[in-house]
Amino acid sequence: MVVEAGVHTVADGGAPDRVEILERWSQGLQMVHVAHNIASERFDHWNRVSGITTAMLSAVVGTTLFASLSTSGLTGVRVVAGAASLLAAALSAGQLVWNYPELASRHRDAAVRYAALRRQVELRLANRDQTTDADVDVTSSAWEQIEQSAPQLPIGVRRRARRELAGVPPRT
């Protein structure tokens, strides 16, 4: 085994060196960066879908109730209006519980922090001859801090991020 300045290389059968570690971490950071961007977009989308659906159902309920008051003999119209009213109420409650805007914002913040750390790692890799153990330690600590505050990624989002990074076209 060859040892240079206390660094063992994988080629020599030793532990990975600092540059190899940072290269792997750069790939991992790219994946979580992309995944949090995808999650942010997904939660923004669901916020719009649920908000528009709730508004449309509320408008239908209001219009239907107004129409049923003028023609009180239409029981079917009242049943449909009642069902739409319940669905609109459930969607409104769901928007409060799911809190899509907050989730989207937290994922967006995590994506920004992961991107910044990724750029730092790329700069360290560009100056690979000057990379020290302290660089690896600082990167590890920063990643742990981001990971502790970042929201959990849904499994499907992780899969989609891996597919995008592998160049696999998105499913339609």
Side-chain angles (χ1 to χ4, degrees):
M1 178 186 319
V2 176
V3 178
E4 289 183 32
V7 177
H8 305 284
T9 64
V10 174
D12 299 322
D17 70 2
R18 294 181 286 264
V19 171
E20 290 173 277
I21 290 170
L22 290 176
E23 284 173 345
R24 276 189 275 148
W25 286 359
S26 179
Q27 292 172 354
L29 287 166
Q30 181 182 21
M31 197 282 296
V32 291
H33 169 216
V34 168
H36 279 287
N37 274 328
I38 291 169
S40 174
E41 290 168 6
R42 182 176 284 183
F43 289 124
D44 274 338
H45 169 78
W46 282 111
N47 181 49
R48 285 189 306 275
V49 167
S50 62
I52 290 168
T53 304
T54 302
M56 288 174 51
L57 282 172
S58 296
V60 167
V61 167
T63 304
T64 306
L65 287 176
F66 183 74
S68 70
L69 288 177
S70 62
T71 56
S72 58
L74 299 174
T75 306
V77 171
R78 280 187 258 152
V79 169
V80 169
S85 175
L86 288 174
L87 186 56
L91 276 173
S92 292
Q95 283 181 308
L96 291 173
V97 172
W98 298 319
N99 201 4
Y100 289 135
E102 173 69 20
L103 281 171
S105 175
R106 290 185 61 211
H107 281 289
R108 200 170 11 265
D109 290 346
V112 167
R113 290 193 314 269
Y114 279 122
L117 182 58
R118 183 175 148 206
R119 284 189 297 276
Q120 290 174 7
V121 168
E122 289 169 352
L123 285 172
R124 288 183 176 118
L125 288 170
N127 298 311
R128 59 184 64 225
D129 296 338
Q130 300 169 7
T131 303
T132 65
D133 288 340
D135 292 329
V136 174
D137 291 341
V138 166
T139 302
S140 177
S141 295
W143 194 339
E144 287 174 17
Q145 283 181 330
I146 296 169
E147 208 165 61
Q148 288 175 2
S149 65
Q152 187 173 357
L153 285 166
I155 292 171
V157 169
R158 284 184 181 270
R159 283 189 199 125
R160 181 172 162 203
R162 285 187 189 109
R163 282 193 310 267
E164 281 189 19
L165 291 173
V168 176
R171 288 188 260 171
T172 55

